[in-house]
Amino acid sequence: MGVTYKYFGAPDGATAARVPISMRPEELGGDELGMNGMFTKIKPETMAAMVLTGIEGVPLHKVPPLELIVLHPDYAVVKLPMTVVDPLRGIGEEAVGAAAFIWSTVPDRGGPRDAFNVYQLLHEWQDFSHRLHEAGHQPYCLVWP
């Protein structure tokens, strides 16, 4: 089946930690913690690397680690550094396209990804970044094994 990742915003770690343990990803609508969430199969580590290497030019070995907020037998909540979402707010189409092309050449377990799919994903993240900023929230990810 695979792992499901739900990215969401919360004002702090204590709020992010209050994820309902009885809810499955498909039952979460996104507003439980005050922010429209995003469901994806993309790992938070991959997302961080995609933004920081493709847009900011940070070497892959310098991408900061994620902060573990909750480790439960059924799920985990991690906090992404703001450096993963903030750069997306100020870039234009050209930078998004360039980052998508760069990332599409990086092989993953399934092989390189199509640049247009990466481009669409980065646009979703750009919208998410704006929503987080407007709400004054930090980015978190809920992980279900």
Side-chain angles (χ1 to χ4, degrees):
M1 176 162 136
V3 176
T4 300
Y5 303 98
K6 180 182 182 197
Y7 294 91
F8 64 93
D12 53 51
T15 304
R18 289 193 298 268
V19 174
I21 55 175
S22 63
M23 300 193 86
R24 299 304 307 154
E26 59 275 4
E27 296 170 342
L28 275 151
D31 293 324
E32 297 76 23
L33 300 171
M35 178 58 58
N36 290 327
M38 296 191 319
F39 285 118
T40 183
K41 294 287 183 184
I42 307 271
K43 291 185 201 176
E45 299 87 356
T46 302
M47 214 45 239
M50 188 183 302
V51 170
L52 293 175
T53 59
I55 294 172
E56 294 290 286
V58 173
L60 203 50
H61 69 281
K62 296 228 180 203
V63 173
L66 306 176
E67 180 184 339
L68 183 64
I69 303 297
V70 175
L71 181 58
H72 185 275
D74 296 329
Y75 68 92
V77 176
V78 295
K79 179 181 178 186
L80 286 80
M82 284 306 288
T83 54
V84 173
V85 291
D86 282 347
L88 291 166
R89 286 200 328 274
I91 64 170
E93 286 297 309
E94 192 173 302
V96 172
F101 175 76
I102 290 166
W103 196 259
S104 73
T105 64
V106 176
D108 60 19
R109 282 184 232 166
R113 293 193 178 277
D114 179 80
F116 185 70
N117 290 341
V118 176
Y119 174 81
Q120 289 177 309
L121 176 70
L122 286 173
H123 266 294
E124 287 177 35
W125 269 81
Q126 201 169 33
D127 292 343
F128 183 58
S129 173
H130 285 292
R131 292 193 312 264
L132 284 174
H133 181 70
E134 289 165 10
H137 286 179
Q138 303 285 317
Y140 294 90
C141 183
L142 178 59
V143 181
W144 272 280

